[in-house]
Structure formats: C-alpha cells, structure tokens
Amino acid sequence: MTYHVTCPFSGKKFYRPGMDDMRRFVYAMMTSKHCQKRIRIYDGSEVAGTMWMKGGYVWYQRKGSRKHHTVREDGTFRT
C-alpha cells in the first residue's frame, strides 16, 4: 500500500510506502516552511487522512473520525 501527497508549494506528488513514513514526511514539510494549509494524504484515489499545523503543533485526523492527534517528528502520535 502506498500513500501520496501533493506539495502545496511546488505541486509535485510524493509517494511513501507507509502511513508513518508519510506523516514524517508531511511533518518535515510543514515545519520547514511553516505551512498553514491543510494537506490531504491519499491512498490511491481515496483520502486516508488530513494534516495541518496550528499553534506550533502538527495535527493529524483520520478519514471518517472526529478525533485528531498531535504528531511527533518521527510520524507517531503524541500521548
């Protein structure tokens, strides 16, 4: 299963094999340029989740869920 995301700055698509790898990649992209946009992570043509930055934290929300999580630098959730 591969996930892909479209960069909001360049418009390029980036592919990663796992969700943790993709969250790590999006986290690095958002913190390096201080992105304030919502970035959607796709699994094929379906949305798998959404990430955004607010208040200095990067948040992740899975498709179909109201709960959102804070993401660490390594792509895992903060407890």
Side-chain angles (χ1 to χ4, degrees):
M1 202 182 311
T2 59
Y3 298 96
H4 72 275
V5 66
T6 304
C7 179
F9 306 109
S10 65
K12 294 181 183 177
K13 283 190 179 180
F14 295 96
Y15 296 88
R16 295 292 183 264
M19 185 54 93
D20 287 340
D21 297 331
M22 184 53 76
R23 281 194 301 257
R24 184 179 315 128
F25 175 74
V26 174
Y27 181 91
M29 184 176 19
M30 293 185 110
T31 56
S32 67
K33 297 197 176 192
H34 199 68
C35 178
Q36 292 295 322
K37 298 180 180 180
R38 284 184 177 252
I39 297 177
R40 293 185 178 193
I41 300 171
Y42 291 92
D43 179 15
S45 61
E46 284 190 26
V47 175
T50 306
M51 291 182 72
W52 68 94
M53 188 172 190
K54 186 175 180 184
Y57 294 106
V58 177
W59 299 89
Y60 170 77
Q61 184 175 11
R62 190 176 307 149
K63 175 193 165 191
S65 175
R66 291 185 179 191
K67 189 174 182 182
H68 51 276
H69 304 277
T70 307
V71 180
R72 286 192 217 144
E73 289 181 24
D74 60 350
T76 59
F77 299 132
R78 189 174 173 199
T79 56

